[in-house]
Amino acid sequence: MARGDIPGATGAKKGRPLSEKTEAAILEATAQLLAEKGLAHLTIEEVAARAGVGKASVYRRWPSKGTLAFDAFESDFLSRQPLPNTGDLRGDLLAALRAWVRTVRDTPIGRTLRGLIGEVQRDPALEGIWRERFMTPVRARHRALVDRAVARGTIPPGTDSDLVMDMLYGAAYHRLLQGHLPLNDQFVRVLVDAVVASIGAVEP
Amino acid sequence: MARGDIPGATGAKKGRPLSEKTEAAILEATAQLLAEKGLAHLTIEEVAARAGVGKASVYRRWPSKGTLAFDAFESDFLSRQPLPNTGDLRGDLLAALRAWVRTVRDTPIGRTLRGLIGEVQRDPALEGIWRERFMTPVRARHRALVDRAVARGTIPPGTDSDLVMDMLYGAAYHRLLQGHLPLNDQFVRVLVDAVVASIGAVEP
Amino acid sequence: MARGDIPGATGAKKGRPLSEKTEAAILEATAQLLAEKGLAHLTIEEVAARAGVGKASVYRRWPSKGTLAFDAFESDFLSRQPLPNTGDLRGDLLAALRAWVRTVRDTPIGRTLRGLIGEVQRDPALEGIWRERFMTPVRARHRALVDRAVARGTIPPGTDSDLVMDMLYGAAYHRLLQGHLPLNDQFVRVLVDAVVASIGAVEP
Amino acid sequence: MARGDIPGATGAKKGRPLSEKTEAAILEATAQLLAEKGLAHLTIEEVAARAGVGKASVYRRWPSKGTLAFDAFESDFLSRQPLPNTGDLRGDLLAALRAWVRTVRDTPIGRTLRGLIGEVQRDPALEGIWRERFMTPVRARHRALVDRAVARGTIPPGTDSDLVMDMLYGAAYHRLLQGHLPLNDQFVRVLVDAVVASIGAVEP
DNA sequence: TCGTAACCGAGACGGTACGTCTGGTCTTTTT
DNA sequence: AAAAAGACCAGACGTACCGTCTCGGTTACGA
């Protein structure tokens, strides 16, 4: 986990507790600076200054720039990934992927996401956190769509939902990170069609 | 391109030309250090020292760590991506993807590739170079496999080869960068099968 | 003044105060290196290394090599300039000038003084500091000898003590800096005699 | 001497002779830059660029910045030091010192002279050249005034002309280099008076 | 209710690496 | 073979941040 814990939850504590105000100020400053200059040019020094906080108060809570940025980023991103229910798999996947594309393409979140993934590549300490707190919940949410289709009986029960996720979001992340081709609606449609076709889906 | 040019190709040159020896020493030192400590902990300072070269001689050629690392990495990686010809599409894709997986999973190249992609996310100046010199040639080589299958008539002529590439390599890069699931042969097989199925390939 | 101030004198202080240990280590290292290799070959890098201190800790206190060297030099030099009281002007001037000559001719201080004056010629920012902290106190000390003679009534009341100082020490600095003739006791004697003669001094 | 010799004078020469044009361009550029930014901020790099000449062509002729600057400075300065003949010593010394003061106070030459003397303090290799080519001729010229007075019989035959020079010019250089008091005509007058008085000069 | 442990903002600490600059030398090509 | 150009190695420059430590002061528990 990025931070220690919700204060008061773990038990024994002496002395003055961590101030929630300080924490909020840090996260707010981080979010601002993240949008303004990107993760690469974010510095703890500046976060502390902007938040009106000592650097130690930042390091007391987050061990690195990545973990801090991650916390500031997380909730924002997740809230933009809906769990659609259109009645059939193609529709659900289309809606989910479209929401993803809009988020990363049309908001500063895309840039931050790219920077964060970049950071994860260089800091092994971030890998676990990133997977646990970001990849796992997002994938779970998306996989639910596939599982629902299995339950409905419109796709075979043995469908490898991990593979489906990797084909869909792998392709999408690929275009986000490599930028070799546009992330547009045309791409989303043909991608979802191809993936649905590969499952051997029965038309409802 | 990362550096100026092929020496001597552009024409006018006065004064002492850039020494090829110096350049070779820098690239060699960079490759060594890249393998030893990864891109994140590679420093120009150390490259220069190891190469027995002044820092200015490095900056004269490459404007940043990323461009330098990229040049040292490029040829090494590309040489490990064969152009298989097994006679059918599935076999070709399997061979190509297996080679890729072996390279990134079993050699230090995988770590460097991850670091380099991370670097590309933070340095906009690298994006173009990366795409032009890395993504484009590698994709072209892989796409040739699909085009050959179209020529053979085993898959429909309108097949979107870009999409095929994105599903295959998007998924593979996804696992490389996110590490949520292993990059093993089982994954390669089911991925190729699913992608081939999605194309509506005719069995030969 | 080279540095901020006597710590704690100015009032408001926030954050960790400058460590006196660090400052002492820097001054000590500077003094050593000044004697070893002269001001011209003194580098902040080496001062920091020798003092076991970060470069920033040096720059935090002194804005330039010259100001640092000056601070390290100052007390050492001044302590070697006595305020003689032999009873008559000639004896006082002889004693003072002999002490000066011995200091600059027989110790490494002479070399440092030359280097420092050289530095002052090239860095306008040093001029004021040099004058205020070096020339003014030293001259004041020496002029006191002349003023005492006036008080005694052995020389005319209107004597221009600045001119006397300039003839005496001007000539001495001239030989120190230009090296055209030796700085020996013979020189000191005839110089003092000539200057005393020029004043129209009454023999006591 | 700063440079080798008058080109072509020494005899044996093979290959292309040193170009007088090149030399003139370098000296001209040096003089300009000396006046513009002072010796301290003069760089061989910039001299070469301004002269439209390779750096090596500069180093071929002058071994260091100081020697080059010195050559560019020398003739200019000496031409401004007249050999007055007013008929009596006081008048001669007054005229000579006034010319000196005007030169160093009212032209960029003063700044350059200060810089040059500063440079001499740091570069032992310059000392000899400086003394030989600058101090010695200038002092000789000035001392001639005193010697003439001896010949005239207006001052004692045993007069120490070196001491007279040191009192006069020592005081003047002192004010130039230390800047503690102004270099004005009032100073010149009282200085000359005091020095002449110290000699025990007979009124003519 | 009081001691004390852990917090607070501020900023100095020892460091690393940056990208730039200069010095003096070396190596091409041109004249 | 010298000139002009400019790359060569070396390393100091001053800056930016790093993550830690110290300062004097302030909470808010728990003994």
Side-chain angles (χ1 to χ4, degrees):
Chain A
M1 183 175 171
R3 289 175 299 100
D5 269 302
I6 299 95
T10 24
K13 67 264 178 127
K14 284 202 270 191
R16 180 177 176 177
L18 291 169
S19 152
E20 294 178 21
K21 238 178 173 168
T22 299
E23 176 160 332
I26 294 170
L27 284 174
E28 170 63 17
T30 303
Q32 281 176 23
L33 289 166
L34 224 34
E36 280 172 30
K37 38 199 355 171
L39 180 63
H41 298 105
L42 181 77
T43 66
I44 300 276
E45 200 108 7
E46 198 173 5
V47 166
R50 170 87 56 113
V53 140
K55 280 199 292 174
S57 292
V58 180
Y59 283 109
R60 208 174 280 126
R61 294 172 168 80
W62 294 275
S64 69
K65 179 168 85 170
T67 51
L68 166 59
F70 177 77
D71 260 21
F73 170 78
E74 182 190 19
S75 58
D76 202 4
F77 181 85
L78 289 183
S79 70
R80 292 166 194 265
Q81 301 307 303
L83 218 181
N85 193 348
T86 60
D88 81 324
L89 180 60
R90 159 180 280 113
D92 286 355
L93 294 180
L94 267 174
L97 201 53
R98 274 176 175 146
W100 186 91
V101 163
R102 267 197 305 274
T103 302
V104 303
R105 193 191 54 198
D106 304 337
T107 73
I109 285 180
R111 184 158 72 126
T112 305
L113 177 57
R114 291 184 61 185
L116 228 26
I117 292 175
E119 201 67 25
V120 168
Q121 306 313 312
R122 62 166 44 205
D123 183 355
L126 280 175
E127 276 184 45
I129 301 166
W130 175 253
R131 213 142 58 215
E132 174 190 325
R133 292 251 299 242
F134 188 86
M135 287 308 292
T136 305
V138 175
R139 280 179 71 86
R141 175 171 296 195
H142 289 150
R143 190 162 36 219
L145 306 180
V146 181
D147 295 343
R148 196 159 58 198
V150 173
R152 280 198 205 105
T154 57
I155 60 172
T159 302
D160 183 341
S161 58
D162 273 322
L163 188 69
V164 172
M165 291 299 102
D166 285 345
M167 282 194 291
L168 273 177
Y169 287 94
Y173 273 103
H174 203 40
R175 291 206 173 181
L176 173 68
L177 299 176
Q178 310 294 353
H180 55 289
L181 288 168
L183 265 173
N184 55 23
D185 204 63
Q186 155 75 6
F187 163 70
V188 170
R189 282 199 309 272
V190 298
L191 175 58
V192 169
D193 282 347
V195 169
V196 170
S198 81
I199 302 172
V202 186
E203 291 303 320
Chain B
M1 183 176 172
R3 291 173 302 99
D5 272 301
I6 298 96
T10 26
K13 61 260 178 121
K14 285 201 271 193
R16 180 174 175 177
L18 292 169
S19 152
E20 293 177 22
K21 238 178 176 166
T22 299
E23 176 160 333
I26 294 170
L27 285 173
E28 170 63 18
T30 304
Q32 280 175 22
L33 289 167
L34 223 33
E36 281 172 30
K37 39 203 345 174
L39 179 63
H41 298 105
L42 181 77
T43 67
I44 300 274
E45 216 71 37
E46 198 173 4
V47 166
R50 169 87 56 114
V53 141
K55 279 200 290 175
S57 292
V58 179
Y59 282 110
R60 205 173 284 126
R61 292 173 170 79
W62 295 275
S64 69
K65 180 166 83 171
T67 51
L68 167 59
F70 176 76
D71 261 19
F73 171 78
E74 183 190 17
S75 58
D76 201 5
F77 181 85
L78 289 183
S79 69
R80 292 165 193 265
Q81 301 308 302
L83 217 180
N85 192 350
T86 60
D88 82 323
L89 180 60
R90 162 181 279 114
D92 287 353
L93 294 181
L94 267 174
L97 201 52
R98 274 175 175 147
W100 186 92
V101 163
R102 266 196 306 272
T103 302
V104 304
R105 193 191 55 197
D106 303 337
T107 73
I109 285 179
R111 184 160 68 131
T112 305
L113 177 57
R114 292 184 60 184
L116 226 27
I117 292 175
E119 201 66 24
V120 169
Q121 308 311 313
R122 63 165 45 203
D123 183 355
L126 279 174
E127 275 185 46
I129 300 167
W130 175 254
R131 213 144 57 218
E132 177 189 323
R133 291 248 302 245
F134 189 87
M135 286 308 290
T136 305
V138 174
R139 280 180 71 85
R141 175 170 295 197
H142 289 151
R143 191 164 33 220
L145 306 181
V146 181
D147 295 342
R148 195 158 58 195
V150 173
R152 279 197 205 107
T154 57
I155 61 174
T159 302
D160 183 341
S161 57
D162 273 322
L163 187 69
V164 173
M165 291 300 101
D166 284 345
M167 282 194 290
L168 273 176
Y169 288 94
Y173 273 103
H174 204 40
R175 292 207 172 181
L176 172 69
L177 299 176
Q178 310 294 353
H180 54 289
L181 288 168
L183 263 174
N184 54 23
D185 204 64
Q186 155 74 6
F187 163 69
V188 170
R189 280 200 310 273
V190 298
L191 175 58
V192 169
D193 282 347
V195 169
V196 169
S198 81
I199 301 172
V202 188
E203 292 302 320
Chain C
M1 184 172 172
R3 291 172 300 99
D5 269 300
I6 300 96
T10 25
K13 62 266 182 116
K14 285 200 273 193
R16 180 174 176 176
L18 291 168
S19 154
E20 293 178 22
K21 238 179 175 166
T22 298
E23 177 161 333
I26 294 170
L27 285 173
E28 170 63 17
T30 302
Q32 280 176 24
L33 289 166
L34 221 35
E36 282 172 31
K37 39 199 354 170
L39 180 65
H41 298 106
L42 181 78
T43 67
I44 301 273
E45 306 251 343
E46 198 173 5
V47 166
R50 169 88 56 112
V53 140
K55 275 201 294 174
S57 292
V58 179
Y59 284 110
R60 208 172 281 124
R61 291 173 170 79
W62 294 275
S64 69
K65 180 167 83 170
T67 51
L68 167 58
F70 177 75
D71 260 22
F73 173 76
E74 181 191 19
S75 58
D76 201 4
F77 182 86
L78 287 183
S79 70
R80 293 166 194 263
Q81 301 309 302
L83 218 181
N85 193 350
T86 60
D88 81 322
L89 179 60
R90 160 180 280 112
D92 287 355
L93 294 181
L94 266 175
L97 201 52
R98 274 175 175 147
W100 187 93
V101 163
R102 267 197 305 274
T103 302
V104 303
R105 193 191 55 197
D106 303 337
T107 72
I109 285 181
R111 185 159 69 125
T112 305
L113 177 57
R114 292 184 59 185
L116 228 26
I117 291 176
E119 199 71 15
V120 168
Q121 306 312 313
R122 60 166 44 202
D123 184 354
L126 281 175
E127 276 184 43
I129 301 167
W130 176 252
R131 215 142 57 217
E132 175 190 323
R133 296 251 299 242
F134 189 86
M135 286 307 292
T136 304
V138 175
R139 279 179 71 85
R141 174 169 298 196
H142 290 149
R143 192 165 31 222
L145 306 180
V146 181
D147 294 342
R148 197 160 56 197
V150 173
R152 281 198 204 105
T154 56
I155 60 173
T159 302
D160 183 340
S161 57
D162 273 322
L163 187 69
V164 172
M165 292 298 101
D166 284 345
M167 282 194 290
L168 273 176
Y169 289 93
Y173 273 104
H174 203 39
R175 291 205 173 181
L176 173 69
L177 299 176
Q178 309 295 353
H180 55 291
L181 288 168
L183 265 173
N184 54 24
D185 204 62
Q186 155 74 6
F187 164 70
V188 171
R189 280 199 310 273
V190 298
L191 175 58
V192 170
D193 281 347
V195 170
V196 170
S198 81
I199 302 173
V202 186
E203 293 304 318
Chain D
M1 186 175 169
R3 292 173 300 103
D5 271 301
I6 299 94
T10 25
K13 58 255 177 129
K14 285 200 271 189
R16 182 172 171 182
L18 293 169
S19 152
E20 294 178 21
K21 240 178 175 167
T22 298
E23 177 161 333
I26 293 170
L27 284 174
E28 170 62 18
T30 303
Q32 280 176 22
L33 289 166
L34 223 34
E36 281 171 31
K37 38 198 356 169
L39 180 65
H41 297 106
L42 180 77
T43 66
I44 300 275
E45 199 106 8
E46 200 173 3
V47 166
R50 170 88 57 111
V53 140
K55 279 200 290 176
S57 293
V58 179
Y59 283 109
R60 205 172 287 124
R61 292 174 170 81
W62 294 275
S64 70
K65 180 167 82 170
T67 52
L68 167 59
F70 178 76
D71 260 21
F73 172 76
E74 183 190 18
S75 58
D76 201 5
F77 182 84
L78 288 183
S79 71
R80 292 166 193 264
Q81 300 308 303
L83 218 178
N85 193 350
T86 60
D88 80 324
L89 180 60
R90 161 179 284 114
D92 287 354
L93 295 180
L94 266 175
L97 201 52
R98 273 177 176 144
W100 186 91
V101 163
R102 268 197 304 273
T103 302
V104 303
R105 191 191 56 198
D106 303 337
T107 73
I109 284 181
R111 186 160 67 128
T112 306
L113 177 57
R114 291 184 61 184
L116 227 28
I117 292 175
E119 199 70 15
V120 168
Q121 306 312 312
R122 61 165 45 203
D123 183 355
L126 280 175
E127 275 185 45
I129 301 167
W130 175 252
R131 216 144 54 217
E132 175 189 324
R133 294 253 297 243
F134 189 87
M135 287 308 292
T136 304
V138 175
R139 279 178 72 85
R141 175 171 297 197
H142 288 150
R143 193 166 30 220
L145 306 181
V146 181
D147 294 342
R148 197 159 55 198
V150 172
R152 278 196 207 108
T154 56
I155 60 172
T159 302
D160 184 341
S161 57
D162 274 321
L163 187 70
V164 172
M165 292 300 99
D166 285 344
M167 283 195 290
L168 274 176
Y169 288 94
Y173 273 102
H174 203 39
R175 291 208 173 180
L176 173 68
L177 298 176
Q178 309 295 351
H180 54 290
L181 288 168
L183 264 173
N184 54 23
D185 204 63
Q186 154 75 7
F187 164 69
V188 171
R189 279 198 312 272
V190 298
L191 176 58
V192 169
D193 281 347
V195 170
V196 168
S198 81
I199 301 173
V202 186
E203 291 305 316

